Amino acid sequence: MRNVSNGTRSKRHALALLVAIALAPISLITSARAADCPREDALGTSRVLEVDPATYPRVGLKSFPQTLPLQDHEIVLTFDDGPTPGTTDKVLEALAAECVRATFFMVGRNATDHPDMVRKVARLGHTVGYHSWDHPHLNKPSTDEAEANIDRGIAAVDKALHGTASTTPRTLFFRFPYFESTPELLDVLEKRGIAVFGADFWASDWVKMTPEEELKLLTARLEAHRKGIILLHDPQQRTDDMLPAFLRYLREHDYRIVHIVPAAAKVVSDRTH
């Protein structure tokens, strides 16, 4: 065994303390690798972050000046606009094959139509957030009308997931459709303790392209940013077809998955590195 000097140990201890202080606003949960992970070489979920909306009321550099304090080569996977039977199932299969957990921002109308899918996403350990009732341009109506649409979406998702509807969200994560917010709506959600998620970059998967073209575009953006919150859409077939190859790319290039949960949640990641 290599000897380590007291000075080296002190430096390492100081560095570890600085890292802990830097990450203090967001609690860090690490866990032992779960026995149900089917593959020894799976990408896995590196760590779980408990996000406090009081400290991070809005994140994502495409929309806001602040994002989550991710380290180099750490990414958060998020999926919008579901749940949709078939396509969401395929995304869940790809994530499960690599023991990866993600966050799904769900449209309330879709959750009402497919409550079993909402429960399936949660049962597999993913985080369920909110994405309005019917995906409108929320910067167009009055603030009261827009908030009513947001609340209807929250109630629909929570009814599908928990059996009871409430405008007080169980998960304090919301993403605006099209990233179209207003200062008034942002203030309303911040006062209600709801974190608003933008993204740091995305795959532009709403644009017509092949899965191979999407993979090339997404990996190029990933290498330019090296970390961040990624936006994808589970109802997009091209994304569903691209996802297994993207997860392999992450594993082969030493990227690490971070799973976000609300500060009060207690979720254990499938795997640590």
Side-chain angles (χ1 to χ4, degrees), residues 15-36:
L15 178 60
L17 181 60
L18 288 173
V19 171
I21 292 171
L23 293 177
I26 291 187
S27 300
L28 170 62
I29 307 172
T30 58
S31 67
R33 177 171 165 263
D36 60 353

Side-chain angles (χ1 to χ4, degrees), residues 20-257:
I21 292 171
L23 293 177
I26 291 187
S27 300
L28 170 62
I29 307 172
T30 58
S31 67
R33 177 171 165 263
D36 60 353
C37 189
R39 288 182 21 230
E40 289 289 334
D41 64 340
L43 172 62
T45 299
S46 178
R47 61 185 180 120
V48 177
L49 290 178
E50 291 188 341
V51 181
D52 183 358
T55 305
Y56 289 91
R58 41 196 94 137
V59 293
L61 297 178
K62 283 290 188 180
S63 302
F64 308 113
Q66 182 183 44
T67 192
L68 297 175
L70 300 173
Q71 301 167 17
D72 184 57
H73 271 63
E74 286 190 333
I75 64 171
V76 174
L77 291 175
T78 66
F79 295 86
D80 282 9
D81 294 359
T84 305
T87 56
T88 302
D89 288 300
K90 193 167 182 179
V91 167
L92 293 174
E93 289 171 7
L95 296 175
E98 292 286 352
C99 297
V100 166
R101 287 182 176 166
T103 298
F104 289 77
F105 290 95
M106 296 186 178
V107 174
R109 184 168 58 185
N110 293 347
T112 297
D113 291 341
H114 309 292
D116 289 346
M117 285 300 307
V118 181
R119 291 190 288 271
K120 180 178 180 180
V121 169
R123 185 172 66 250
L124 291 174
H126 304 289
T127 297
V128 175
Y130 311 96
H131 199 41
S132 79
W133 163 249
D134 58 354
H135 208 280
H137 298 273
L138 290 174
N139 61 342
K140 303 298 184 185
S142 69
T143 298
D144 288 344
E145 290 171 331
E147 189 178 7
N149 190 287
I150 292 170
D151 281 343
R152 188 179 180 188
I154 290 170
V157 171
D158 278 355
K159 184 175 183 180
L161 189 55
H162 303 289
T164 57
S166 172
T167 57
T168 301
R170 306 287 185 95
T171 302
L172 298 171
F173 295 169
F174 178 79
R175 178 175 274 156
F176 280 91
Y178 313 105
F179 295 134
E180 292 178 345
S181 62
T182 67
E184 293 78 14
L185 284 171
L186 291 173
D187 287 344
V188 165
L189 294 179
E190 183 172 357
K191 289 175 182 177
R192 291 176 61 180
I194 299 173
V196 174
F197 278 79
D200 295 320
F201 61 102
W202 48 64
S204 299
D205 56 358
W206 53 87
V207 177
K208 186 176 181 180
M209 67 179 96
T210 67
E212 293 76 19
E213 289 169 335
E214 183 180 348
L215 178 63
K216 183 178 180 180
L217 176 64
L218 181 56
T219 54
R221 290 175 176 173
L222 174 62
E223 294 305 332
H225 288 81
R226 295 179 61 86
K227 63 180 180 179
I229 305 166
I230 301 178
L231 166 66
L232 298 162
H233 293 82
D234 47 304
Q236 290 288 353
Q237 187 66 52
R238 61 181 64 89
T239 292
D240 307 337
D241 294 338
M242 178 275 301
L243 188 59
F246 180 58
L247 295 176
R248 285 196 302 272
Y249 181 94
L250 295 176
R251 173 163 43 87
E252 291 167 359
H253 291 79
D254 298 321
Y255 280 90
R256 302 180 303 280
I257 300 296

